[in-house]
Amino acid sequence: MTKESYRPVVAVAGATGTQGGAAARSLLDQGFRVRALTRTPGSAAAHALRALGAEVHAADFDDRTSLEAALRGADGLFAMSTPFGSHPDTEARQGIDLLEAARGVGHIVFTSAAHADRGTGIPHFESKYRIERHLRGLGVPWTILGPAAFMDNYTVEWSLEGLREGRFVLPMPPDRPLTLIPSRDIGAFAAHVLARPQEFAGRRIDIASDELTCREIADALTGVCGRPIVFERLPVAHVEAFSADLAAMFRYFTEVGLDVDVEALRRDFPETGWQRFATWAAERTWPAC
């Protein structure tokens, strides 16, 4: 194989999840060989990635040997960590173990969270920042991406329940701007970075595709649903009853906010095709509508 025909190999952690799956698809579209790392190699999502040309490798965040085997010889790694369903300390440990297993990888892109490096006090932001600090001292070329709030969260059952009643519900003021990003754009920008590792080495970039108030989000959902959707502010105490972590996040969004320069990203990296919320929503199927 000549140097010109060599296709770099990128391992993708959490490849059968929303964010990792988006990264895997974007990397495949750009001609990379993709190793999809997953605990569920027999799942429908894993089979879908195989059909697109990915190699699926069984790997578990709690099994260092499986991680090392899956990462051996890889040119790059899309790394992520998952806070929910576990304790933030568990997220940090698993993320650091993944990085340690990737010491021989050529370039690591880690998706953290916007503002995670600013002392937010949000537990799952702080755990990601612990992973960031470890990555910086690992001795491997790296790039850190900090996605803003996920548009994809509005398609989960908790949000759909409100939409069925004509309500878009969040524990935030109606006119407080919120920066947003879909998983598709996270994956597309990560692939852009991995295609140009020298350009992005040692950089931390917060990313978002749009900025809207909660009232404007409700208006956009009105457009795709074809019936009125009104914004309703949920008391943050209701969120705290089941997750102090999420409550801390929404307090931060309300009191400080996520100041990601959306227009600069659109100007500097047009290849990503950053999706406005209305465009993203129009491409979805909304069973609650």
Side-chain angles (χ1 to χ4, degrees), residues 17-79:
T18 302
Q19 189 180 154
R25 289 188 292 274
S26 290
L27 288 161
L28 288 166
D29 287 345
Q30 292 205 23
F32 287 91
R33 291 172 56 198
V34 170
R35 287 185 192 167
L37 277 54
T38 177
R39 292 180 299 174
T40 57
S43 66
H47 287 305
L49 289 173
R50 283 191 189 92
L52 293 173
E55 306 167 14
V56 177
H57 289 244
D60 191 317
F61 285 140
D62 289 317
D63 182 351
R64 175 75 172 270
T65 301
S66 71
L67 293 174
E68 290 174 344
L71 293 169
R72 193 168 295 121
D75 299 292
L77 168 65
F78 174 84

Side-chain angles (χ1 to χ4, degrees), residues 6-269:
Y6 179 73
R7 295 169 59 211
V9 177
V10 177
V12 177
T16 50
T18 302
Q19 189 180 154
R25 289 188 292 274
S26 290
L27 288 161
L28 288 166
D29 287 345
Q30 292 205 23
F32 287 91
R33 291 172 56 198
V34 170
R35 287 185 192 167
L37 277 54
T38 177
R39 292 180 299 174
T40 57
S43 66
H47 287 305
L49 289 173
R50 283 191 189 92
L52 293 173
E55 306 167 14
V56 177
H57 289 244
D60 191 317
F61 285 140
D62 289 317
D63 182 351
R64 175 75 172 270
T65 301
S66 71
L67 293 174
E68 290 174 344
L71 293 169
R72 193 168 295 121
D75 299 292
L77 168 65
F78 174 84
M80 55 169 290
S81 57
T82 304
F84 302 111
S86 64
H87 191 276
D89 288 343
T90 303
E91 178 189 15
R93 175 183 57 76
Q94 290 177 336
I96 289 169
D97 284 349
L98 173 63
L99 298 182
E100 285 292 327
R103 279 186 177 272
V105 169
H107 191 99
I108 298 174
V109 172
F110 173 62
T111 59
S112 177
H115 289 209
D117 59 338
R118 302 193 190 185
T120 64
I122 304 167
H124 74 277
F125 282 36
E126 297 296 324
S127 55
K128 285 177 170 55
Y129 189 48
R130 287 167 60 186
I131 301 169
E132 288 189 36
R133 294 198 301 271
H134 192 87
L135 176 57
R136 290 172 185 267
L138 198 63
V140 174
W142 57 266
T143 305
I144 296 166
L145 305 182
F150 291 177
M151 294 181 191
D152 306 74
N153 287 342
Y154 304 147
T155 65
V156 301
E157 181 57 31
W158 185 84
S159 291
L160 295 178
E161 184 178 335
L163 292 180
R164 292 187 188 100
E165 300 171 355
R167 302 176 297 126
F168 173 66
V169 183
L170 271 188
M172 288 184 62
D175 297 315
R176 185 67 161 104
L178 180 64
T179 48
L180 301 163
I181 190 166
S183 58
R184 174 221 167 266
D185 289 1
I186 300 171
F189 190 63
H192 179 78
V193 170
L194 284 160
R196 299 158 181 81
Q198 293 183 334
E199 178 183 342
F200 290 95
R203 296 176 64 181
R204 188 191 191 284
I205 307 172
D206 282 347
I207 55 174
S209 306
D210 205 353
E211 183 175 37
L212 297 171
T213 66
C214 293
R215 187 171 281 135
E216 288 170 336
I217 294 171
D219 290 344
L221 291 171
T222 292
V224 297
C225 284
R227 63 184 179 88
I229 302 294
V230 298
F231 174 68
E232 180 178 307
R233 184 178 184 180
L234 182 73
V236 74
H238 288 202
V239 178
E240 190 140 32
F242 66 87
S243 175
D245 193 338
L246 288 177
M249 182 183 74
F250 282 112
R251 286 195 183 96
Y252 185 87
F253 287 175
T254 297
E255 296 166 9
V256 180
L258 297 177
D259 60 335
V260 182
D261 194 337
V262 173
E263 297 312 316
L265 289 165
R266 289 179 168 275
R267 180 190 66 237
D268 296 342
F269 308 110

